[in-house]
Amino acid sequence: MPDGDNVQSGKGAGIGTPQKSDGYFLKGASNLDWGMKDRLSRIFNPKSGRTVMLAFDHGYIMGPTTGLERMDLSIVPLIEYADCIMCTRGTLRQVVPPTFNKPVSLRFSAGTTILTSLNDECIMDIQEASRLNASMLAVMVAIGDAEHEAVTIRNLTKTVDIGTQYGIPTLGVNAVGKELKRDARYLALAARVVAENGANVVKTYYCDDDFEQVTNACPVPIVIAGGKKLPEKEALEMAYKAVSQGARGVDMGRNIFQSDSPVGMMLAVKEIVHNNEKPDKALQLYNDYKNGKH
Ligand code: R5P
């Protein structure tokens, strides 16, 4: 038993030194609860304020996407390089070893596939997300899709409600239909709507013109999806331009796992995102890794 004599001595107890009251490093998150902030700090590196998320949830709408046929072979070796992984509950249990201790952005909405009409979705049970130790709940939101906008906004709202109860942040994933133009005007509107409805992080696409308007008008961090496979140089330039214009990182899939050297690409993207490396230097890093110079 500790004795109680000196419990309130006050000596050396910091009298005269005001208790530090730090702000929080992510925009829009200062007023969140401790659990939310802890989870966001596992996803976003508190030093750089940014993240490299590895996305491999494509199969839930596209089936065995190129590069994802055998995720035990193609994806598992990449996980150690990612700041966060983004996948479905099926993949988590079937393929991802629970020993990496990486934060999981869990695909929380599920729905129709490319064979019918995308985005007719529902959301999962929060207890399932909790069992899987999710650090973030990813929900698809189809702004401007006349058929599915309403249902996906309802899904977002329910996810934010339940995620807030459990202290798990929500990632609003902007689904952009083929008929919609991915310009700054649309992307800014969609990102803002998702944030206003309570998402803590928004995932959207980069656009060549005025992307800064998208990040500037979004009160929470934006991460960009990579989209379809580009030559490595172009993908690295896109990542560089996105973070230079305010994105807080990437949530990238095909441009990593469909690359000739997925690990090289992970390393190159990380250099850009966390260390502001220029695309040509990052490309050199990629090529060096690919050619066995590391
Ligand atoms: C798309 O809805 C999926 O959620 C992917 O996670 C997302 O598109 C990112 O992957 P990619 O970089 O291949 O576009």
Side-chain angles (χ1 to χ4, degrees):
M1 280 285 284
D3 73 56
D5 291 351
N6 292 321
V7 168
Q8 292 276 349
S9 80
K11 283 180 195 155
I15 288 176
T17 307
Q19 182 174 322
K20 270 174 107 179
S21 180
D22 293 330
Y24 190 68
F25 68 101
L26 288 176
K27 69 174 174 175
S30 292
N31 297 327
L32 298 178
D33 197 11
W34 195 94
M36 283 268 196
K37 287 178 173 161
D38 176 64
R39 288 184 174 90
L40 287 167
S41 307
R42 301 185 70 225
I43 297 164
F44 291 86
N45 181 327
K47 288 196 182 115
S48 66
R50 294 178 180 166
T51 185
V52 174
M53 298 170 60
L54 175 64
F56 46 99
D57 57 329
H58 307 59
Y60 100 103
I61 48 174
M62 288 161 58
T65 311
T66 303
L68 297 182
E69 299 89 340
R70 286 289 304 273
M71 291 188 283
D72 55 328
L73 302 177
S74 61
I75 294 298
V76 171
L78 298 179
I79 292 177
E80 66 178 288
Y81 301 98
D83 296 319
C84 174
I85 58 173
M86 164 109 165
C87 63
T88 61
R89 61 169 155 177
T91 295
L92 261 190
R93 288 203 173 95
Q94 295 147 11
V95 182
V96 177
T99 44
F100 281 103
N101 278 317
K102 293 284 177 179
V104 176
S105 176
L106 182 68
R107 170 56 73 178
F108 195 65
S109 62
T112 44
T113 72
I114 51 169
L115 297 179
T116 57
S117 64
L118 289 166
N119 301 325
D120 191 353
E121 299 213 325
C122 62
I123 57 167
M124 280 166 46
D125 187 332
I126 191 67
Q127 289 176 7
E128 173 73 337
S130 170
R131 268 192 292 278
L132 290 167
N133 199 24
S135 289
M136 189 152 70
L137 309 172
V139 58
M140 197 81 103
V141 193
I143 305 297
D145 172 342
E147 214 180 331
H148 301 118
E149 185 181 76
V151 72
T152 59
I153 292 273
R154 278 197 284 273
N155 287 341
L156 172 65
T157 301
K158 283 186 210 151
T159 303
V160 171
D161 284 346
I162 196 81
T164 304
Q165 279 180 40
Y166 280 72
I168 308 180
T170 294
L171 170 69
V173 178
N174 275 139
V176 186
K178 284 200 178 94
E179 68 290 354
L180 292 163
K181 201 165 166 217
R182 291 183 188 183
D183 58 13
R185 187 182 160 92
Y186 167 77
L187 295 174
L189 183 153
R192 180 60 175 264
V193 167
V194 168
E196 296 259 356
N197 280 296
N200 306 105
V201 182
V202 172
K203 173 171 151 182
T204 191
Y205 291 90
Y206 177 73
C207 60
D208 276 322
D209 296 324
D210 302 322
F211 181 68
E212 206 156 25
Q213 288 181 15
V214 182
T215 56
N216 180 56
C218 182
V220 299
I222 282 187
V223 292
I224 61 149
K228 62 183 180 207
K229 175 77 174 69
L230 301 167
E232 279 73 12
K233 183 172 187 290
E234 286 175 37
L236 293 172
E237 281 167 355
M238 177 174 70
Y240 181 79
K241 285 188 276 186
V243 294
S244 304
Q245 293 175 59
R248 289 304 193 104
V250 300
D251 186 8
M252 206 174 248
R254 286 163 288 181
N255 278 291
I256 289 174
F257 61 70
Q258 292 178 353
S259 164
D260 286 343
S261 173
V263 172
M265 202 55 184
M266 284 295 294
L267 295 174
V269 172
K270 282 181 88 168
E271 275 302 298
I272 288 173
V273 169
H274 291 302
N275 298 326
N276 293 310
E277 188 57 275
K278 294 278 191 319
D280 54 345
K281 285 271 177 58
L283 184 65
Q284 194 181 326
L285 177 68
Y286 163 79
N287 281 323
D288 285 351
Y289 192 89
K290 186 177 147 188
N291 298 324
K293 291 191 191 157
H294 277 278

